[in-house]
Amino acid sequence: MQQIFLFLYRLRAFILFLILELLALGIIFTHNSPQGAVYFNSSNKFTGRLLSSKNNFVSYFTLYSANQALAEKNASLLNRLDRMTPVVDSAYIALDSTLSNNFNFWSARVINNSINLSQNFITLDKGKLDGVVEGMGVFNEQGIIGRVKGTSNHFSSVISLLHTDLLISSKIKTTEVFGSIKWDGIDSSEAKLLYVPRHVMVEPGQEIVTSGYNAVFPEGIPVGKVKEVSYGNETNYLDITISLGADFSKLNFVYLVKNDLREEMDSLEIEMVNPSQ
């Protein structure tokens, strides 16, 4: 402590100078409007930059929790929207109004993803304990991602749309002509729209959405847009290439969708295929 006092004593003249200098500056800024305005603006600018830098630094480390909360909120809103959206066919409502709100939505985070194989898979951080079951559809705000293949208590494995064995029932939004989306294993940003008859007029730029026919995805979820159309080698169908809406190289948060009536629909269709059973 004595050394500190001795040090301050040796600097007494410099410390007195600083005190008097600050006092003089304070009197100048207080009693002179031009100088006061300059000081006020400069100090506000400096403080603003300092606070902005601090906020950016803190925000960077809270992005994950913010994105996760936003994804969960969006899933909740999707559930509410699905229940509020009326079905166009009023006769359909009269028969069974519950069919208009049989989809439920969850949010999940992608923790593993591949795009360089012919059969790609994705791993999510939600599993059986979160309500995830095999067969649920997976999508994000850009488009279709895939379908749940298997689950554990805390994780689930998803067949990516970039899988040469996966078919997604889709349609051309403007014409209601439907077909199936299948990846050809070449470009992760493109896929094929199959089984569209040759007589159908298809133009580049037309939007492709889910058809709702396979009981996995609700109708109208984006898939992509038509990129190229040709007659190809098929006798009955067009060769249609689409640009996928989802960027599979940048997957982060996704949504899971479950059709609560899927088992009932599947069992009925099996009975129709095998009427003798």
Side-chain angles (χ1 to χ4, degrees):
M1 181 64 69
Q2 185 178 4
Q3 296 295 327
I4 295 176
F5 285 123
L6 290 175
F7 175 76
L8 293 176
Y9 180 77
R10 286 196 294 267
L11 295 176
R12 63 187 183 283
F14 179 71
I15 294 174
L16 179 61
F17 169 76
L18 287 180
I19 294 174
L20 294 176
E21 191 70 21
L22 292 173
L23 181 62
L25 290 174
I27 294 173
I28 292 173
F29 292 141
T30 302
H31 298 283
N32 294 273
S33 298
Q35 290 83 354
V38 171
Y39 168 75
F40 180 78
N41 292 334
S42 300
S43 61
N44 278 355
K45 186 176 181 180
F46 175 77
T47 304
R49 287 182 176 177
L50 183 63
L51 292 176
S52 178
S53 299
K54 175 187 175 183
N55 183 66
N56 291 338
F57 179 79
V58 174
S59 297
Y60 178 81
F61 291 98
T62 59
L63 282 177
Y64 169 74
S65 58
N67 286 336
Q68 185 176 34
L70 182 60
E72 292 175 355
K73 182 64 175 179
N74 286 343
S76 174
L77 292 175
L78 284 171
N79 279 311
R80 293 176 59 186
L81 180 62
D82 186 63
R83 284 154 175 71
M84 295 172 63
T85 302
V87 177
V88 175
D89 188 350
S90 59
Y92 182 81
I93 298 177
L95 289 173
D96 190 350
S97 60
T98 62
L99 292 179
S100 64
N101 58 5
N102 55 312
F103 289 98
N104 288 295
F105 301 88
W106 289 262
S107 65
R109 186 169 70 94
V110 174
I111 59 175
N112 194 22
N113 177 31
S114 64
I115 62 173
N116 59 341
L117 306 174
S118 61
Q119 298 180 332
N120 293 287
F121 287 87
I122 298 168
T123 305
L124 305 180
D125 68 343
K126 295 289 178 68
K128 292 179 182 178
L129 297 181
D130 303 291
V132 181
V133 297
E134 183 179 345
M136 292 175 66
V138 183
F139 67 100
N140 64 9
E141 64 279 1
Q142 296 174 322
I144 296 297
I145 301 301
R147 190 172 64 204
V148 175
K149 175 63 176 178
T151 61
S152 63
N153 284 339
H154 299 98
F155 304 98
S156 55
S157 178
V158 176
I159 301 177
S160 173
L161 183 57
L162 305 183
H163 191 295
T164 53
D165 292 337
L166 182 64
L167 290 172
I168 300 293
S169 180
S170 305
K171 67 179 181 179
I172 303 173
K173 186 175 182 180
T174 54
T175 63
E176 298 291 322
V177 174
F178 67 92
S180 295
I181 295 295
K182 185 176 183 180
W183 187 52
D184 57 8
I186 299 176
D187 190 334
S188 63
S189 65
E190 298 177 355
K192 294 290 186 179
L193 177 61
L194 307 178
Y195 313 129
V196 176
R198 292 169 71 94
H199 70 272
V200 175
M201 296 295 296
V202 182
E203 298 179 355
Q206 288 182 301
E207 187 174 0
I208 309 299
V209 298
T210 52
S211 66
Y213 288 169
N214 61 0
V216 175
F217 294 99
E219 180 182 356
I221 294 180
V223 179
K225 292 184 178 181
V226 175
K227 181 179 180 180
E228 296 177 352
V229 183
S230 66
Y231 288 104
N233 299 322
E234 283 284 346
T235 304
N236 299 319
Y237 305 111
L238 293 171
D239 182 3
I240 302 175
T241 301
I242 72 165
S243 296
L244 296 174
D247 186 347
F248 284 81
S249 65
K250 298 179 181 179
L251 295 182
N252 192 356
F253 285 93
V254 296
Y255 302 107
L256 293 149
V257 56
K258 179 185 178 184
N259 186 346
D260 292 333
L261 300 179
R262 183 184 176 191
E263 291 184 5
E264 180 180 343
M265 297 171 67
D266 288 346
S267 63
L268 179 61
E269 291 174 357
I270 290 174
E271 289 179 7
M272 295 298 292
V273 173
N274 304 294
S276 62
Q277 294 184 359

